[in-house]
Amino acid sequence: MTSPRALTPLDRLLVEAQRALGTTLGVARAERPNPAGRLRDPALDAEDVRHAAGLMRVNHTGEVCAQALYVGQAAVARDDATRAQLLAAAQEETDHLAWCADRLRELDSRPSLLNPLWYAGSYAIGVAAGLRGDGWNLGFVVETERQVEAHLDEHLASLPAGDARSRAILGTMKVDEARHADHAVAAGARLLPRPVAAAMAMASKVMKTVAYRI
Ligand SMILES: [Fe+2]
Ligand SMILES: [Fe+2]
């Protein structure tokens, strides 16, 4: 039996590129069943469908960003346990990504055309955070998940009243994101400086505004 060959930098680059393509092109496959299950597809008027699709496109892009952030952080994490936790978090976000993509299809819409750009930007932010050390890495996870949780509350309030399927997906995502944050706190996350958290909130506001439309 031959022993596995260590990954060269080119191998790693190709693995990362393949992961980026899989994430941004929306071919993610969920491991858990879609929370919308057999809920009846509601009768939504054209304006409701347009708005729900805009919101679900934002959520899909948010999951693309979360994956890129965690994979970028994992690429430079110093501690193996931290790296494993970051990659596990990225894996769990794959369910969210797949569910949002499913709902976009049901609404006869599509993911953001700018997802490759959002992925690249988030990956760069993840690497920058990771280079500052593992406490920061986990702090980023906590801040990201808390901001996503608050944002999901806004979307749950903003979804058309009849859109039970999107609501079921976002409700499950919210529970998952809270758990991701709690795990990172338990693993020793440090609190990020307030300007960093504010910059993250600003960046996600830009993403949300653009991804709703494009
Ligand atoms: Fe998520
Ligand atoms: Fe999460």
Side-chain angles (χ1 to χ4, degrees), residues 63 66 70 89 92-93 96 141 145 148 173 176-178 180-181:
E63 295 299 330
Y70 295 154
E92 288 177 11
E93 307 296 357
H96 301 173
V141 174
E145 299 288 3
V148 173
M173 280 167 53
D176 288 348
E177 313 300 15
H180 296 163

Side-chain angles (χ1 to χ4, degrees), residues 132-152:
R132 305 221 39 179
D134 287 356
W136 266 72
N137 248 340
L138 293 164
F140 247 78
V141 174
V142 174
E143 185 59 34
T144 304
E145 299 288 3
R146 296 283 185 236
Q147 287 191 16
V148 173
E149 211 183 325
H151 144 86
L152 286 172

Side-chain angles (χ1 to χ4, degrees), residues 43-116:
L44 301 170
D45 65 26
E47 175 54 27
D48 283 349
V49 169
R50 191 198 59 76
H51 181 52
L55 296 181
M56 293 311 281
R57 185 161 40 253
V58 169
N59 289 308
H60 183 269
T61 296
E63 295 299 330
V64 167
C65 292
Q67 293 235 356
L69 204 52
Y70 295 154
V71 171
Q73 288 174 264
V76 293
R78 287 164 206 180
D79 177 51
D80 284 343
T82 305
R83 180 177 303 110
Q85 179 166 5
L86 287 161
L87 291 176
Q91 179 58 46
E92 288 177 11
E93 307 296 357
T94 304
D95 286 355
H96 301 173
L97 195 62
W99 298 337
C100 289
D102 286 349
R103 188 62 188 138
L104 278 171
R105 266 191 302 275
E106 289 172 8
L107 292 165
D108 221 7
S109 192
R110 48 151 183 82
S112 168
L113 298 174
L114 301 178
N115 276 348

Side-chain angles (χ1 to χ4, degrees), residues 25-40:
L25 296 180
V27 289
R29 192 166 301 161
E31 287 184 353
R32 289 174 292 168
N34 188 317
R38 289 166 178 272
L39 280 171
R40 285 260 289 279

